[in-house]
C-alpha cells in the first residue's frame, strides 16, 4: 500500500480524531494506567513497559491528559 505521508496523516486524523503521534501517546498511557492499577507496578516500570525510555516525558503526557479530562468534567 503506497500512501503519501501527509495524506495518511489527514486520513488518520479524520478517522481517529487525533494525530498518529497523539494516538500512540494515548495508547501508551492507557496501557501504562492498566499496568499501574491491575498489576500494581510503579509509574517508572509502567512507563518503561510501554516504550518510554525516560520517565519525564511520560509524566508530562500523563499530566496533560489528566488536565484535559478535568477540564471536560
Amino acid at each position: 500500500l503506497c500512501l503519501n505521508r501527509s495524506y495518511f496523516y489527514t486520513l488518520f486524523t479524520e478517522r481517529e480524531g487525533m494525530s498518529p503521534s497523539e494516538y500512540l501517546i494515548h495508547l501508551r498511557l492507557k496501557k501504562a494506567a492498566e499496568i499501574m492499577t491491575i498489576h500494581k507496578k510503579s509509574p517508572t516500570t509502567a512507563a518503561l513497559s510501554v516504550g518510554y525510555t525516560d520517565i519525564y516525558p511520560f509524566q508530562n503526557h500523563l499530566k496533560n491528559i489528566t488536565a484535559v479530562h478535568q477540564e471536560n468534567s
Side-chain angles (χ1 to χ4, degrees), residues 3-26:
L3 278 180
N4 175 293
R5 185 178 183 166
S6 65
Y7 183 61
F8 169 77
Y9 184 93
T10 301
L11 287 177
F12 189 95
T13 303
E14 287 175 358
R15 177 173 161 70
E16 298 299 329
M18 61 184 84
S19 71
S21 59
E22 290 170 327
Y23 184 80
L24 179 59
I25 290 168
H26 176 77

Side-chain angles (χ1 to χ4, degrees), residues 22-36:
E22 290 170 327
Y23 184 80
L24 179 59
I25 290 168
H26 176 77
L27 285 179
R28 284 179 169 172
L29 291 176
K30 185 176 178 180
K31 183 64 177 175
E34 177 184 311
I35 291 168
M36 289 186 290

Side-chain angles (χ1 to χ4, degrees), residues 30-61:
K30 185 176 178 180
K31 183 64 177 175
E34 177 184 311
I35 291 168
M36 289 186 290
T37 55
I38 295 173
H39 302 289
K40 308 291 189 222
K41 300 294 182 182
S42 71
T44 301
T45 300
L48 294 172
S49 296
V50 297
Y52 284 89
T53 56
D54 187 348
I55 189 71
Y56 300 107
F58 172 75
Q59 290 172 333
N60 287 333
H61 289 149

